[in-house]
């Protein structure tokens, strides 16, 4: 039986990045698609608790059935596994996202929220993001690398409680130097909110901001990407800073 | 100058849990409140990218000014720090939440999304949650412990890139045995989505589920809570599984 691959994203079921990931994965296994109905950028691992959800289906450009749901990317993973996969998936993929989810962007990413949800659900999972927000983004340039990573994970399971955050530089296929396994770079978003005044004099705020990563470190994802490599960060939904437990024993009473 | 404490939550600015946290923190420093306008449970570290946000202000029950915003808990932290704090806050608090954010619930929690956002913004931060969803939840029982934790963090800064996830058992003050510093327990939510049929025969799904944590381990938050202790987990917005980096070097090309 071929491996079963559940695919979602956060840009919505009509995204070209999703179509490209479906095309690659279809060569490696049986594909089930369950993607958000709407753009779900910035939704992190959020779930929909306050209203019911609906699911619809259509045909994707490759002829594969696409299910789509009016929930978040993490909802899509739960929904896909529990109701739309004929058996537990061997792998969950998310993407290909328009724009970086490297460094601290993972904290906000719906693409990676889906990946972390899959990991919490006991599935192998990988998120793919391309450092290009343009509608003309070239999702094919890195196809051979993406195929290599998926194929490798299908044959060599990831470490326990671990998923992959894969980011792809905005380069032609011939310019991509290879793949580097890295840590998440430390960085910050500054000036995140822009205050404006509406036509009747009342303030409102838009999310914006500048990404600042001055010293990414040679072992980080930002360094790899800046130097022409695809970055692969092993990530975990265990938020514990284990090394801090003993340091904080003075809090006990 | 007294320490400046920014307070938010995910249950919204009218929550009794917020009022209680404001009352405790007001004894220890100068308080700024910026909370979500609406219940934001399950919103994780999500941010609002697709529409502008508004802010309003009112007086809380203690007479302190409450700002509230129609964004997420993480939005509230960014908004509070950038526009409503007179200087960078010395501490960001979130809660007191109705219901547990221990174990893997941190991944979905808006309360802890605010805390992780504050950590990404370079602030000391703590989230407080009470294991009680009832409208009559007793937020005062653990007040002396909450005061102790806040006071301790104000005097002894947390380790680098680390915040605290504090969960409080549903017990009378006299029954709480103390505080334990722990790791996040591994667990899972099963049967997360309940399928129903609407009056005209179409399916819809509600988020629900059963929390399963069979072997929490004596060093975990779930074990501490089940044994009458307040759990304190040091958490970090670094998602990297550092020990997996070398194991995955075979992916490089």
């Amino acid at each position: 039986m071929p491996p079963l691959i559940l695919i979602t994203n956060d840009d919505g079921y009509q995204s070209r990045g999703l179509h490209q990931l479906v095309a690659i994965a279809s060569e490696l296994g049986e594909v089930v698609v369950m993607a958000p109905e709407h753009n779900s950028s910035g939704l992190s691992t959020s779930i929909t608790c306050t209203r019911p959800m609906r699911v619809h289906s259509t045909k994707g450009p490759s002829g594969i059935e696409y299910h789509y749901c009016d929930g978040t990317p993490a909802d899509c993973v739960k929904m896909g596994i529990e109701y739309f996969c004929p058996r537990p998936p061997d792998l969950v993929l998310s993407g290909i996202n328009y724009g970086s989810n490297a460094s601290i962007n993972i904290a906000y990413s719906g693409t990676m929220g889906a990946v972390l949800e899959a990991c919490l659900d006991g599935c192998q999972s990988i998120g793919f993001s391309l450092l290009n927000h343009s509608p003309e983004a070239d999702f094919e340039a890195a196809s051979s690398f993406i195929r290599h990573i998926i194929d490798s994970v299908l044959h060599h399971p990831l470490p326990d409680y671990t998923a992959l955050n894969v980011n792809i530089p905005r380069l032609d296929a011939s310019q991509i130097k290879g793949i580097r396994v890295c840590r998440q770079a430390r960085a910050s978003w500054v000036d995140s909110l822009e205050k404006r005044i509406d036509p009747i004099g009342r303030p409102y705020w838009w999310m914006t901001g500048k990404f600042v990563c001055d010293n990414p470190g040679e072992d980080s994802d930002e360094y790899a990407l800046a130097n022409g490599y695809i970055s692969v960060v092993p990530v975990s939904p265990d938020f514990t800073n284990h090394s801090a437990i003993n340091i904080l024993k003075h809090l006990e009473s």
Side-chain angles (χ1 to χ4, degrees), chain A:
Chain A
M1 196 176 286
L4 183 66
I5 305 174
L6 173 63
I7 305 185
T8 191
N9 74 348
D10 79 352
D11 290 317
Y13 74 103
Q14 294 177 309
S15 164
R16 285 200 302 112
L18 177 69
H19 303 333
Q20 182 66 19
L21 192 52
V22 168
I24 296 168
S26 297
E27 295 171 12
L28 299 168
E30 179 185 347
V31 165
V32 172
V33 176
M34 172 59 77
E37 183 168 357
H38 307 291
N39 182 344
S40 304
S41 297
L43 288 196
S44 187
T45 325
S46 61
I47 52 175
T48 302
C49 303
T50 53
R51 61 169 175 83
M53 288 173 273
R54 300 280 191 174
V55 175
H56 296 93
S57 301
T58 187
K59 288 277 180 207
S62 56
I64 287 177
E65 188 166 28
Y66 279 29
H67 306 289
Y68 58 93
C69 154
D70 59 352
T72 68
D75 292 330
C76 287
V77 171
K78 289 179 187 283
M79 188 79 79
I81 292 173
E82 291 189 23
Y83 286 94
F84 290 85
C85 285
R87 55 190 186 274
D90 299 287
L91 184 60
V92 177
L93 303 178
S94 183
I96 305 169
N97 188 61
Y98 283 89
S100 174
N101 284 315
S103 182
I104 62 168
N105 297 303
I106 184 176
Y108 309 111
S109 166
T111 303
M112 288 307 299
V115 168
L116 293 166
E117 173 60 43
C119 195
L120 288 167
D121 296 334
C123 297
Q124 305 272 304
S125 57
I126 315 171
F128 294 97
S129 305
L130 176 66
L131 274 62
N132 190 344
H133 282 281
S134 160
E136 286 80 41
D138 178 8
F139 288 107
E140 287 185 35
S143 287
S144 65
F145 294 100
I146 293 172
R147 190 177 295 107
H148 163 74
I149 292 167
I150 297 172
D151 194 49
S152 176
V153 171
L154 284 172
H155 289 91
H156 307 283
L158 295 170
D160 184 46
Y161 222 41
T162 301
L164 299 183
N165 183 14
V166 178
N167 283 269
I168 301 158
R170 184 178 177 165
L171 294 171
D172 293 338
S174 63
Q175 293 174 305
I176 296 176
K177 289 187 191 160
I179 296 170
R180 286 290 172 270
V181 180
C182 329
R183 66 169 173 84
Q184 171 187 325
R186 279 182 68 160
S188 52
W189 281 96
V190 298
D191 301 331
S192 295
L193 293 159
E194 186 178 317
K195 185 178 181 179
R196 297 185 176 185
I197 303 297
D198 73 16
I200 52 174
R202 299 174 307 187
Y204 61 101
W205 285 263
W206 276 110
M207 188 64 64
T208 169
K210 186 179 163 208
F211 181 71
V212 179
C213 183
D214 288 332
N215 295 298
E218 293 189 15
D219 57 345
S220 76
D221 51 4
E222 289 295 329
Y223 186 91
L225 290 161
N227 285 277
Y229 290 91
I230 290 170
S231 67
V232 176
V233 177
V235 296
S236 171
D238 181 1
F239 290 74
T240 313
N241 179 351
H242 291 271
S243 66
I245 292 176
N246 279 329
I247 298 169
L248 291 168
K249 286 289 181 185
H250 66 271
L251 285 171
E252 294 195 344
S253 69

